[in-house]
PDB file of all heavy atoms in Angstrom:
ATOM      1  N   PHE A  68      -1.094  10.080  13.644  1.00  0.00           N
ATOM      2  CA  PHE A  68      -0.129   9.359  12.830  1.00  0.00           C
ATOM      3  C   PHE A  68      -0.513   9.420  11.362  1.00  0.00           C
ATOM      4  O   PHE A  68       0.301   9.755  10.495  1.00  0.00           O
ATOM      5  CB  PHE A  68      -0.071   7.917  13.324  1.00  0.00           C
ATOM      6  CG  PHE A  68       0.765   7.012  12.495  1.00  0.00           C
ATOM      7  CD1 PHE A  68       2.139   7.169  12.455  1.00  0.00           C
ATOM      8  CD2 PHE A  68       0.199   6.004  11.749  1.00  0.00           C
ATOM      9  CE1 PHE A  68       2.917   6.343  11.705  1.00  0.00           C
ATOM     10  CE2 PHE A  68       0.970   5.171  10.986  1.00  0.00           C
ATOM     11  CZ  PHE A  68       2.330   5.340  10.964  1.00  0.00           C
ATOM     12  N   LEU A 156       8.553   6.402 -27.515  1.00  0.00           N
ATOM     13  CA  LEU A 156       8.885   5.215 -26.735  1.00  0.00           C
ATOM     14  C   LEU A 156       8.868   5.518 -25.245  1.00  0.00           C
ATOM     15  O   LEU A 156       8.354   4.742 -24.434  1.00  0.00           O
ATOM     16  CB  LEU A 156      10.281   4.713 -27.146  1.00  0.00           C
ATOM     17  CG  LEU A 156      10.648   3.341 -26.585  1.00  0.00           C
ATOM     18  CD1 LEU A 156       9.693   2.323 -27.125  1.00  0.00           C
ATOM     19  CD2 LEU A 156      12.064   2.997 -26.940  1.00  0.00           C
ATOM     20  N   MET A 157       9.419   6.709 -24.866  1.00  0.00           N
ATOM     21  CA  MET A 157       9.469   7.050 -23.452  1.00  0.00           C
ATOM     22  C   MET A 157       8.073   7.264 -22.894  1.00  0.00           C
ATOM     23  O   MET A 157       7.791   6.906 -21.754  1.00  0.00           O
ATOM     24  CB  MET A 157      10.308   8.312 -23.241  1.00  0.00           C
ATOM     25  CG  MET A 157      11.786   8.088 -23.360  1.00  0.00           C
ATOM     26  SD  MET A 157      12.359   6.756 -22.330  1.00  0.00           S
ATOM     27  CE  MET A 157      12.144   7.465 -20.727  1.00  0.00           C
ATOM     28  N   LEU A 159       5.374   5.758 -23.945  1.00  0.00           N
ATOM     29  CA  LEU A 159       4.785   4.431 -23.775  1.00  0.00           C
ATOM     30  C   LEU A 159       5.295   3.781 -22.499  1.00  0.00           C
ATOM     31  O   LEU A 159       4.535   3.192 -21.724  1.00  0.00           O
ATOM     32  CB  LEU A 159       5.146   3.571 -24.995  1.00  0.00           C
ATOM     33  CG  LEU A 159       4.424   2.249 -25.113  1.00  0.00           C
ATOM     34  CD1 LEU A 159       2.951   2.489 -25.197  1.00  0.00           C
ATOM     35  CD2 LEU A 159       4.903   1.514 -26.334  1.00  0.00           C
ATOM     36  N   ILE A 160       6.598   3.917 -22.250  1.00  0.00           N
ATOM     37  CA  ILE A 160       7.166   3.299 -21.056  1.00  0.00           C
ATOM     38  C   ILE A 160       6.639   3.968 -19.795  1.00  0.00           C
ATOM     39  O   ILE A 160       6.345   3.298 -18.797  1.00  0.00           O
ATOM     40  CB  ILE A 160       8.708   3.334 -21.131  1.00  0.00           C
ATOM     41  CG1 ILE A 160       9.159   2.361 -22.202  1.00  0.00           C
ATOM     42  CG2 ILE A 160       9.326   2.991 -19.815  1.00  0.00           C
ATOM     43  CD1 ILE A 160      10.626   2.266 -22.350  1.00  0.00           C
ATOM     44  N   GLU A 161       6.492   5.300 -19.833  1.00  0.00           N
ATOM     45  CA  GLU A 161       5.943   5.989 -18.660  1.00  0.00           C
ATOM     46  C   GLU A 161       4.513   5.572 -18.399  1.00  0.00           C
ATOM     47  O   GLU A 161       4.100   5.426 -17.241  1.00  0.00           O
ATOM     48  CB  GLU A 161       5.992   7.507 -18.874  1.00  0.00           C
ATOM     49  CG  GLU A 161       7.341   8.121 -18.638  1.00  0.00           C
ATOM     50  CD  GLU A 161       7.752   8.074 -17.194  1.00  0.00           C
ATOM     51  OE1 GLU A 161       6.885   8.200 -16.312  1.00  0.00           O
ATOM     52  OE2 GLU A 161       8.951   7.891 -16.943  1.00  0.00           O
ATOM     53  N   ILE A 163       3.242   2.637 -19.117  1.00  0.00           N
ATOM     54  CA  ILE A 163       3.268   1.291 -18.550  1.00  0.00           C
ATOM     55  C   ILE A 163       3.611   1.370 -17.069  1.00  0.00           C
ATOM     56  O   ILE A 163       3.002   0.699 -16.229  1.00  0.00           O
ATOM     57  CB  ILE A 163       4.271   0.394 -19.296  1.00  0.00           C
ATOM     58  CG1 ILE A 163       3.751   0.080 -20.671  1.00  0.00           C
ATOM     59  CG2 ILE A 163       4.499  -0.893 -18.538  1.00  0.00           C
ATOM     60  CD1 ILE A 163       4.613  -0.866 -21.436  1.00  0.00           C
ATOM     61  N   SER A 164       4.569   2.238 -16.718  1.00  0.00           N
ATOM     62  CA  SER A 164       4.931   2.273 -15.314  1.00  0.00           C
ATOM     63  C   SER A 164       3.844   2.956 -14.486  1.00  0.00           C
ATOM     64  O   SER A 164       3.687   2.653 -13.297  1.00  0.00           O
ATOM     65  CB  SER A 164       6.303   2.932 -15.145  1.00  0.00           C
ATOM     66  OG  SER A 164       6.201   4.200 -14.680  1.00  0.00           O
ATOM     67  N   LEU A 166       0.575   2.568 -15.204  1.00  0.00           N
ATOM     68  CA  LEU A 166      -0.478   1.567 -15.077  1.00  0.00           C
ATOM     69  C   LEU A 166      -0.058   0.427 -14.170  1.00  0.00           C
ATOM     70  O   LEU A 166      -0.899  -0.343 -13.720  1.00  0.00           O
ATOM     71  CB  LEU A 166      -0.833   1.000 -16.454  1.00  0.00           C
ATOM     72  CG  LEU A 166      -1.656   1.926 -17.309  1.00  0.00           C
ATOM     73  CD1 LEU A 166      -1.800   1.352 -18.686  1.00  0.00           C
ATOM     74  CD2 LEU A 166      -3.015   2.105 -16.693  1.00  0.00           C
ATOM     75  N   SER A 167       1.257   0.297 -13.902  1.00  0.00           N
ATOM     76  CA  SER A 167       1.684  -0.791 -13.038  1.00  0.00           C
ATOM     77  C   SER A 167       1.434  -0.468 -11.572  1.00  0.00           C
ATOM     78  O   SER A 167       1.630  -1.331 -10.717  1.00  0.00           O
ATOM     79  CB  SER A 167       3.162  -1.093 -13.245  1.00  0.00           C
ATOM     80  OG  SER A 167       3.942  -0.164 -12.548  1.00  0.00           O
ATOM     81  N   ILE A 170      -1.439  -2.498  -9.864  1.00  0.00           N
ATOM     82  CA  ILE A 170      -1.056  -3.901  -9.786  1.00  0.00           C
ATOM     83  C   ILE A 170      -0.011  -4.101  -8.694  1.00  0.00           C
ATOM     84  O   ILE A 170      -0.083  -5.055  -7.913  1.00  0.00           O
ATOM     85  CB  ILE A 170      -0.540  -4.389 -11.157  1.00  0.00           C
ATOM     86  CG1 ILE A 170      -1.675  -4.327 -12.149  1.00  0.00           C
ATOM     87  CG2 ILE A 170       0.014  -5.777 -11.050  1.00  0.00           C
ATOM     88  CD1 ILE A 170      -1.358  -4.901 -13.483  1.00  0.00           C
ATOM     89  N   SER A 171       0.952  -3.190  -8.596  1.00  0.00           N
ATOM     90  CA  SER A 171       1.978  -3.381  -7.565  1.00  0.00           C
ATOM     91  C   SER A 171       1.387  -3.199  -6.180  1.00  0.00           C
ATOM     92  O   SER A 171       1.723  -3.934  -5.252  1.00  0.00           O
ATOM     93  CB  SER A 171       3.149  -2.430  -7.788  1.00  0.00           C
ATOM     94  OG  SER A 171       2.894  -1.187  -7.213  1.00  0.00           O
ATOM     95  N   LEU A 174      -0.744  -6.363  -5.508  1.00  0.00           N
ATOM     96  CA  LEU A 174       0.055  -7.586  -5.464  1.00  0.00           C
ATOM     97  C   LEU A 174       0.875  -7.666  -4.189  1.00  0.00           C
ATOM     98  O   LEU A 174       1.001  -8.730  -3.579  1.00  0.00           O
ATOM     99  CB  LEU A 174       0.989  -7.610  -6.679  1.00  0.00           C
ATOM    100  CG  LEU A 174       1.586  -8.948  -7.068  1.00  0.00           C
ATOM    101  CD1 LEU A 174       0.492  -9.857  -7.517  1.00  0.00           C
ATOM    102  CD2 LEU A 174       2.593  -8.737  -8.163  1.00  0.00           C
ATOM    103  N   ARG A 175       1.427  -6.521  -3.745  1.00  0.00           N
ATOM    104  CA  ARG A 175       2.270  -6.510  -2.564  1.00  0.00           C
ATOM    105  C   ARG A 175       1.494  -6.972  -1.340  1.00  0.00           C
ATOM    106  O   ARG A 175       1.910  -7.867  -0.612  1.00  0.00           O
ATOM    107  CB  ARG A 175       2.815  -5.110  -2.349  1.00  0.00           C
ATOM    108  CG  ARG A 175       3.879  -5.002  -1.336  1.00  0.00           C
ATOM    109  CD  ARG A 175       4.286  -3.562  -1.211  1.00  0.00           C
ATOM    110  NE  ARG A 175       4.771  -3.027  -2.471  1.00  0.00           N
ATOM    111  CZ  ARG A 175       4.239  -2.004  -3.098  1.00  0.00           C
ATOM    112  NH1 ARG A 175       3.194  -1.405  -2.597  1.00  0.00           N
ATOM    113  NH2 ARG A 175       4.745  -1.574  -4.232  1.00  0.00           N
ATOM    114  N   ASN A 179       1.991 -10.735   0.472  1.00  0.00           N
ATOM    115  CA  ASN A 179       2.482 -10.805   1.840  1.00  0.00           C
ATOM    116  C   ASN A 179       1.500 -11.518   2.751  1.00  0.00           C
ATOM    117  O   ASN A 179       1.891 -12.359   3.561  1.00  0.00           O
ATOM    118  CB  ASN A 179       2.734  -9.397   2.368  1.00  0.00           C
ATOM    119  CG  ASN A 179       4.136  -8.965   2.073  1.00  0.00           C
ATOM    120  OD1 ASN A 179       5.069  -9.465   2.662  1.00  0.00           O
ATOM    121  ND2 ASN A 179       4.277  -8.061   1.141  1.00  0.00           N
ATOM    122  N   LEU A 221       3.134  -3.186   8.761  1.00  0.00           N
ATOM    123  CA  LEU A 221       3.972  -2.629   7.703  1.00  0.00           C
ATOM    124  C   LEU A 221       3.222  -2.559   6.385  1.00  0.00           C
ATOM    125  O   LEU A 221       3.288  -1.561   5.671  1.00  0.00           O
ATOM    126  CB  LEU A 221       5.222  -3.502   7.551  1.00  0.00           C
ATOM    127  CG  LEU A 221       6.359  -2.897   6.735  1.00  0.00           C
ATOM    128  CD1 LEU A 221       6.916  -1.721   7.469  1.00  0.00           C
ATOM    129  CD2 LEU A 221       7.408  -3.936   6.488  1.00  0.00           C
ATOM    130  N   GLN A 222       2.486  -3.631   6.046  1.00  0.00           N
ATOM    131  CA  GLN A 222       1.793  -3.650   4.765  1.00  0.00           C
ATOM    132  C   GLN A 222       0.676  -2.624   4.716  1.00  0.00           C
ATOM    133  O   GLN A 222       0.470  -1.982   3.678  1.00  0.00           O
ATOM    134  CB  GLN A 222       1.241  -5.045   4.476  1.00  0.00           C
ATOM    135  CG  GLN A 222       2.296  -6.027   4.090  1.00  0.00           C
ATOM    136  CD  GLN A 222       3.139  -5.515   2.952  1.00  0.00           C
ATOM    137  OE1 GLN A 222       2.643  -4.989   1.969  1.00  0.00           O
ATOM    138  NE2 GLN A 222       4.439  -5.661   3.089  1.00  0.00           N
ATOM    139  N   TYR A 224       0.677   0.165   6.362  1.00  0.00           N
ATOM    140  CA  TYR A 224       1.345   1.448   6.267  1.00  0.00           C
ATOM    141  C   TYR A 224       1.854   1.706   4.858  1.00  0.00           C
ATOM    142  O   TYR A 224       1.716   2.801   4.326  1.00  0.00           O
ATOM    143  CB  TYR A 224       2.508   1.487   7.269  1.00  0.00           C
ATOM    144  CG  TYR A 224       3.329   2.733   7.215  1.00  0.00           C
ATOM    145  CD1 TYR A 224       2.784   3.956   7.566  1.00  0.00           C
ATOM    146  CD2 TYR A 224       4.644   2.710   6.801  1.00  0.00           C
ATOM    147  CE1 TYR A 224       3.520   5.110   7.513  1.00  0.00           C
ATOM    148  CE2 TYR A 224       5.391   3.851   6.748  1.00  0.00           C
ATOM    149  CZ  TYR A 224       4.830   5.054   7.107  1.00  0.00           C
ATOM    150  OH  TYR A 224       5.567   6.187   7.045  1.00  0.00           O
ATOM    151  N   VAL A 225       2.446   0.663   4.223  1.00  0.00           N
ATOM    152  CA  VAL A 225       2.987   0.834   2.872  1.00  0.00           C
ATOM    153  C   VAL A 225       1.870   1.153   1.895  1.00  0.00           C
ATOM    154  O   VAL A 225       2.006   2.040   1.038  1.00  0.00           O
ATOM    155  CB  VAL A 225       3.757  -0.432   2.454  1.00  0.00           C
ATOM    156  CG1 VAL A 225       4.038  -0.419   0.978  1.00  0.00           C
ATOM    157  CG2 VAL A 225       5.040  -0.531   3.202  1.00  0.00           C
ATOM    158  N   VAL A 228       0.843   4.795   2.544  1.00  0.00           N
ATOM    159  CA  VAL A 228       1.864   5.771   2.137  1.00  0.00           C
ATOM    160  C   VAL A 228       1.953   5.868   0.630  1.00  0.00           C
ATOM    161  O   VAL A 228       2.081   6.959   0.067  1.00  0.00           O
ATOM    162  CB  VAL A 228       3.232   5.383   2.734  1.00  0.00           C
ATOM    163  CG1 VAL A 228       4.345   6.063   1.991  1.00  0.00           C
ATOM    164  CG2 VAL A 228       3.302   5.777   4.166  1.00  0.00           C
ATOM    165  N   LEU A 229       1.881   4.714  -0.058  1.00  0.00           N
ATOM    166  CA  LEU A 229       1.958   4.769  -1.507  1.00  0.00           C
ATOM    167  C   LEU A 229       0.743   5.449  -2.102  1.00  0.00           C
ATOM    168  O   LEU A 229       0.857   6.172  -3.099  1.00  0.00           O
ATOM    169  CB  LEU A 229       2.136   3.372  -2.073  1.00  0.00           C
ATOM    170  CG  LEU A 229       3.568   2.897  -1.907  1.00  0.00           C
ATOM    171  CD1 LEU A 229       3.697   1.497  -2.372  1.00  0.00           C
ATOM    172  CD2 LEU A 229       4.496   3.787  -2.680  1.00  0.00           C
ATOM    173  N   LEU A 232       1.506   9.003  -1.870  1.00  0.00           N
ATOM    174  CA  LEU A 232       2.499   9.429  -2.858  1.00  0.00           C
ATOM    175  C   LEU A 232       1.875   9.558  -4.239  1.00  0.00           C
ATOM    176  O   LEU A 232       2.205  10.481  -4.990  1.00  0.00           O
ATOM    177  CB  LEU A 232       3.660   8.436  -2.900  1.00  0.00           C
ATOM    178  CG  LEU A 232       4.643   8.582  -1.751  1.00  0.00           C
ATOM    179  CD1 LEU A 232       5.686   7.508  -1.818  1.00  0.00           C
ATOM    180  CD2 LEU A 232       5.304   9.933  -1.807  1.00  0.00           C
TER     181      LEU A 232
ATOM    182  N   LYS B  27      12.617   2.802   8.947  1.00  0.00           N
ATOM    183  CA  LYS B  27      11.326   2.522   8.315  1.00  0.00           C
ATOM    184  C   LYS B  27      11.443   2.703   6.814  1.00  0.00           C
ATOM    185  O   LYS B  27      10.917   1.905   6.045  1.00  0.00           O
ATOM    186  CB  LYS B  27      10.260   3.482   8.876  1.00  0.00           C
ATOM    187  CG  LYS B  27       9.071   2.766   9.431  1.00  0.00           C
ATOM    188  CD  LYS B  27       7.936   3.726   9.699  1.00  0.00           C
ATOM    189  CE  LYS B  27       8.152   4.515  10.963  1.00  0.00           C
ATOM    190  NZ  LYS B  27       7.035   5.452  11.212  1.00  0.00           N
ATOM    191  N   ALA B  30      13.143  -0.264   5.297  1.00  0.00           N
ATOM    192  CA  ALA B  30      12.347  -1.487   5.341  1.00  0.00           C
ATOM    193  C   ALA B  30      11.352  -1.519   4.190  1.00  0.00           C
ATOM    194  O   ALA B  30      11.280  -2.498   3.462  1.00  0.00           O
ATOM    195  CB  ALA B  30      11.619  -1.601   6.672  1.00  0.00           C
ATOM    196  N   TYR B  31      10.590  -0.418   4.036  1.00  0.00           N
ATOM    197  CA  TYR B  31       9.606  -0.542   2.970  1.00  0.00           C
ATOM    198  C   TYR B  31      10.157  -0.154   1.618  1.00  0.00           C
ATOM    199  O   TYR B  31       9.552  -0.464   0.607  1.00  0.00           O
ATOM    200  CB  TYR B  31       8.309   0.199   3.304  1.00  0.00           C
ATOM    201  CG  TYR B  31       8.298   1.699   3.196  1.00  0.00           C
ATOM    202  CD1 TYR B  31       8.251   2.334   1.973  1.00  0.00           C
ATOM    203  CD2 TYR B  31       8.263   2.475   4.338  1.00  0.00           C
ATOM    204  CE1 TYR B  31       8.196   3.695   1.880  1.00  0.00           C
ATOM    205  CE2 TYR B  31       8.200   3.838   4.252  1.00  0.00           C
ATOM    206  CZ  TYR B  31       8.168   4.446   3.021  1.00  0.00           C
ATOM    207  OH  TYR B  31       8.102   5.801   2.951  1.00  0.00           O
ATOM    208  N   LEU B  34      10.989  -3.396  -0.144  1.00  0.00           N
ATOM    209  CA  LEU B  34       9.734  -4.036  -0.532  1.00  0.00           C
ATOM    210  C   LEU B  34       9.181  -3.389  -1.798  1.00  0.00           C
ATOM    211  O   LEU B  34       8.745  -4.057  -2.732  1.00  0.00           O
ATOM    212  CB  LEU B  34       8.744  -3.854   0.607  1.00  0.00           C
ATOM    213  CG  LEU B  34       7.733  -4.938   0.854  1.00  0.00           C
ATOM    214  CD1 LEU B  34       8.426  -6.231   1.099  1.00  0.00           C
ATOM    215  CD2 LEU B  34       6.928  -4.567   2.071  1.00  0.00           C
ATOM    216  N   ARG B  35       9.221  -2.048  -1.816  1.00  0.00           N
ATOM    217  CA  ARG B  35       8.687  -1.318  -2.955  1.00  0.00           C
ATOM    218  C   ARG B  35       9.452  -1.609  -4.216  1.00  0.00           C
ATOM    219  O   ARG B  35       8.869  -1.820  -5.279  1.00  0.00           O
ATOM    220  CB  ARG B  35       8.765   0.186  -2.700  1.00  0.00           C
ATOM    221  CG  ARG B  35       7.572   0.768  -2.044  1.00  0.00           C
ATOM    222  CD  ARG B  35       7.789   2.216  -1.836  1.00  0.00           C
ATOM    223  NE  ARG B  35       7.704   2.962  -3.084  1.00  0.00           N
ATOM    224  CZ  ARG B  35       7.923   4.256  -3.169  1.00  0.00           C
ATOM    225  NH1 ARG B  35       8.262   4.927  -2.097  1.00  0.00           N
ATOM    226  NH2 ARG B  35       7.825   4.878  -4.317  1.00  0.00           N
ATOM    227  N   SER B  38       8.614  -5.258  -5.577  1.00  0.00           N
ATOM    228  CA  SER B  38       7.256  -5.463  -6.057  1.00  0.00           C
ATOM    229  C   SER B  38       6.926  -4.525  -7.206  1.00  0.00           C
ATOM    230  O   SER B  38       6.149  -4.894  -8.091  1.00  0.00           O
ATOM    231  CB  SER B  38       6.261  -5.293  -4.923  1.00  0.00           C
ATOM    232  OG  SER B  38       6.439  -4.048  -4.341  1.00  0.00           O
ATOM    233  N   ASP B  39       7.524  -3.315  -7.228  1.00  0.00           N
ATOM    234  CA  ASP B  39       7.245  -2.421  -8.357  1.00  0.00           C
ATOM    235  C   ASP B  39       7.815  -2.985  -9.639  1.00  0.00           C
ATOM    236  O   ASP B  39       7.203  -2.869 -10.709  1.00  0.00           O
ATOM    237  CB  ASP B  39       7.838  -1.036  -8.097  1.00  0.00           C
ATOM    238  CG  ASP B  39       6.914  -0.199  -7.238  1.00  0.00           C
ATOM    239  OD1 ASP B  39       5.779  -0.643  -7.009  1.00  0.00           O
ATOM    240  OD2 ASP B  39       7.323   0.883  -6.811  1.00  0.00           O
ATOM    241  N   LEU B  41       8.316  -6.211 -10.356  1.00  0.00           N
ATOM    242  CA  LEU B  41       7.478  -7.335 -10.773  1.00  0.00           C
ATOM    243  C   LEU B  41       6.166  -6.852 -11.367  1.00  0.00           C
ATOM    244  O   LEU B  41       5.691  -7.366 -12.391  1.00  0.00           O
ATOM    245  CB  LEU B  41       7.204  -8.223  -9.554  1.00  0.00           C
ATOM    246  CG  LEU B  41       6.457  -9.508  -9.845  1.00  0.00           C
ATOM    247  CD1 LEU B  41       7.302 -10.393 -10.698  1.00  0.00           C
ATOM    248  CD2 LEU B  41       6.092 -10.202  -8.554  1.00  0.00           C
ATOM    249  N   ALA B  42       5.586  -5.827 -10.737  1.00  0.00           N
ATOM    250  CA  ALA B  42       4.286  -5.330 -11.218  1.00  0.00           C
ATOM    251  C   ALA B  42       4.427  -4.698 -12.594  1.00  0.00           C
ATOM    252  O   ALA B  42       3.542  -4.868 -13.441  1.00  0.00           O
ATOM    253  CB  ALA B  42       3.725  -4.331 -10.232  1.00  0.00           C
ATOM    254  N   ALA B  43       5.534  -3.970 -12.837  1.00  0.00           N
ATOM    255  CA  ALA B  43       5.707  -3.352 -14.153  1.00  0.00           C
ATOM    256  C   ALA B  43       5.861  -4.431 -15.215  1.00  0.00           C
ATOM    257  O   ALA B  43       5.325  -4.319 -16.324  1.00  0.00           O
ATOM    258  CB  ALA B  43       6.917  -2.433 -14.154  1.00  0.00           C
ATOM    259  N   ILE B  45       4.601  -7.491 -15.080  1.00  0.00           N
ATOM    260  CA  ILE B  45       3.284  -8.106 -15.280  1.00  0.00           C
ATOM    261  C   ILE B  45       2.381  -7.182 -16.088  1.00  0.00           C
ATOM    262  O   ILE B  45       1.650  -7.636 -16.988  1.00  0.00           O
ATOM    263  CB  ILE B  45       2.654  -8.455 -13.917  1.00  0.00           C
ATOM    264  CG1 ILE B  45       3.424  -9.561 -13.257  1.00  0.00           C
ATOM    265  CG2 ILE B  45       1.210  -8.872 -14.089  1.00  0.00           C
ATOM    266  CD1 ILE B  45       2.874  -9.934 -11.913  1.00  0.00           C
ATOM    267  N   THR B  46       2.434  -5.871 -15.781  1.00  0.00           N
ATOM    268  CA  THR B  46       1.580  -4.926 -16.519  1.00  0.00           C
ATOM    269  C   THR B  46       1.947  -4.907 -17.985  1.00  0.00           C
ATOM    270  O   THR B  46       1.066  -4.917 -18.852  1.00  0.00           O
ATOM    271  CB  THR B  46       1.740  -3.506 -15.963  1.00  0.00           C
ATOM    272  OG1 THR B  46       1.695  -3.549 -14.574  1.00  0.00           O
ATOM    273  CG2 THR B  46       0.678  -2.608 -16.509  1.00  0.00           C
ATOM    274  N   GLY B  47       3.269  -4.881 -18.271  1.00  0.00           N
ATOM    275  CA  GLY B  47       3.683  -4.867 -19.667  1.00  0.00           C
ATOM    276  C   GLY B  47       3.201  -6.101 -20.393  1.00  0.00           C
ATOM    277  O   GLY B  47       2.655  -6.023 -21.512  1.00  0.00           O
ATOM    278  N   LEU B  49       0.702  -8.032 -19.568  1.00  0.00           N
ATOM    279  CA  LEU B  49      -0.758  -8.043 -19.653  1.00  0.00           C
ATOM    280  C   LEU B  49      -1.255  -7.124 -20.765  1.00  0.00           C
ATOM    281  O   LEU B  49      -2.150  -7.483 -21.539  1.00  0.00           O
ATOM    282  CB  LEU B  49      -1.322  -7.558 -18.316  1.00  0.00           C
ATOM    283  CG  LEU B  49      -2.557  -8.264 -17.827  1.00  0.00           C
ATOM    284  CD1 LEU B  49      -2.234  -9.696 -17.534  1.00  0.00           C
ATOM    285  CD2 LEU B  49      -3.072  -7.579 -16.579  1.00  0.00           C
ATOM    286  N   LEU B  50      -0.651  -5.917 -20.842  1.00  0.00           N
ATOM    287  CA  LEU B  50      -1.057  -4.987 -21.901  1.00  0.00           C
ATOM    288  C   LEU B  50      -0.751  -5.579 -23.262  1.00  0.00           C
ATOM    289  O   LEU B  50      -1.553  -5.494 -24.199  1.00  0.00           O
ATOM    290  CB  LEU B  50      -0.329  -3.647 -21.740  1.00  0.00           C
ATOM    291  CG  LEU B  50      -0.881  -2.730 -20.681  1.00  0.00           C
ATOM    292  CD1 LEU B  50      -0.029  -1.486 -20.597  1.00  0.00           C
ATOM    293  CD2 LEU B  50      -2.295  -2.338 -21.013  1.00  0.00           C
ATOM    294  N   LEU B  71       8.974  -4.197 -22.857  1.00  0.00           N
ATOM    295  CA  LEU B  71       8.719  -2.812 -22.436  1.00  0.00           C
ATOM    296  C   LEU B  71       8.476  -2.736 -20.934  1.00  0.00           C
ATOM    297  O   LEU B  71       8.909  -1.790 -20.273  1.00  0.00           O
ATOM    298  CB  LEU B  71       7.522  -2.245 -23.179  1.00  0.00           C
ATOM    299  CG  LEU B  71       7.796  -1.772 -24.601  1.00  0.00           C
ATOM    300  CD1 LEU B  71       6.516  -1.266 -25.218  1.00  0.00           C
ATOM    301  CD2 LEU B  71       8.810  -0.660 -24.585  1.00  0.00           C
ATOM    302  N   GLY B  72       7.786  -3.773 -20.415  1.00  0.00           N
ATOM    303  CA  GLY B  72       7.534  -3.802 -18.973  1.00  0.00           C
ATOM    304  C   GLY B  72       8.827  -3.924 -18.192  1.00  0.00           C
ATOM    305  O   GLY B  72       9.005  -3.314 -17.137  1.00  0.00           O
ATOM    306  N   VAL B  74      11.747  -2.806 -19.179  1.00  0.00           N
ATOM    307  CA  VAL B  74      12.409  -1.497 -19.210  1.00  0.00           C
ATOM    308  C   VAL B  74      11.747  -0.538 -18.243  1.00  0.00           C
ATOM    309  O   VAL B  74      12.415   0.175 -17.477  1.00  0.00           O
ATOM    310  CB  VAL B  74      12.381  -0.937 -20.649  1.00  0.00           C
ATOM    311  CG1 VAL B  74      12.998   0.432 -20.696  1.00  0.00           C
ATOM    312  CG2 VAL B  74      13.112  -1.866 -21.577  1.00  0.00           C
ATOM    313  N   ALA B  75      10.396  -0.540 -18.263  1.00  0.00           N
ATOM    314  CA  ALA B  75       9.667   0.368 -17.374  1.00  0.00           C
ATOM    315  C   ALA B  75       9.967   0.056 -15.918  1.00  0.00           C
ATOM    316  O   ALA B  75      10.158   0.957 -15.098  1.00  0.00           O
ATOM    317  CB  ALA B  75       8.171   0.272 -17.639  1.00  0.00           C
ATOM    318  N   LEU B  78      13.441   1.284 -15.028  1.00  0.00           N
ATOM    319  CA  LEU B  78      13.458   2.741 -14.885  1.00  0.00           C
ATOM    320  C   LEU B  78      12.819   3.176 -13.579  1.00  0.00           C
ATOM    321  O   LEU B  78      13.318   4.079 -12.902  1.00  0.00           O
ATOM    322  CB  LEU B  78      12.725   3.383 -16.056  1.00  0.00           C
ATOM    323  CG  LEU B  78      13.553   3.502 -17.326  1.00  0.00           C
ATOM    324  CD1 LEU B  78      12.707   4.067 -18.425  1.00  0.00           C
ATOM    325  CD2 LEU B  78      14.727   4.423 -17.074  1.00  0.00           C
ATOM    326  N   THR B  79      11.695   2.508 -13.223  1.00  0.00           N
ATOM    327  CA  THR B  79      11.038   2.843 -11.949  1.00  0.00           C
ATOM    328  C   THR B  79      11.966   2.589 -10.780  1.00  0.00           C
ATOM    329  O   THR B  79      12.076   3.399  -9.858  1.00  0.00           O
ATOM    330  CB  THR B  79       9.755   2.018 -11.782  1.00  0.00           C
ATOM    331  OG1 THR B  79       8.998   2.127 -12.972  1.00  0.00           O
ATOM    332  CG2 THR B  79       8.945   2.494 -10.620  1.00  0.00           C
ATOM    333  N   LYS B  82      14.644   5.236 -10.634  1.00  0.00           N
ATOM    334  CA  LYS B  82      14.148   6.520 -10.127  1.00  0.00           C
ATOM    335  C   LYS B  82      13.970   6.489  -8.630  1.00  0.00           C
ATOM    336  O   LYS B  82      14.325   7.425  -7.917  1.00  0.00           O
ATOM    337  CB  LYS B  82      12.813   6.852 -10.816  1.00  0.00           C
ATOM    338  CG  LYS B  82      12.880   8.053 -11.697  1.00  0.00           C
ATOM    339  CD  LYS B  82      11.519   8.468 -12.143  1.00  0.00           C
ATOM    340  CE  LYS B  82      11.071   7.652 -13.328  1.00  0.00           C
ATOM    341  NZ  LYS B  82       9.794   8.142 -13.880  1.00  0.00           N
TER     342      LYS B  82
END
Side-chain angles (χ1 to χ4, degrees):
Chain A
F68 174 68
L156 190 63
M157 285 308 291
L159 190 60
I160 290 182
E161 281 292 325
I163 289 184
S164 104
L166 285 173
S167 80
I170 295 186
S171 85
L174 198 66
R175 191 182 301 120
N179 270 289
L221 194 67
Q222 286 307 315
Y224 177 66
V225 167
V228 161
L229 283 176
L232 282 176
Chain B
K27 235 192 283 180
Y31 76 75
L34 213 57
R35 270 179 73 183
S38 56
D39 277 351
L41 186 65
I45 292 179
T46 314
L49 219 65
L50 282 177
L71 281 179
V74 177
L78 279 177
T79 311
K82 246 190 277 186

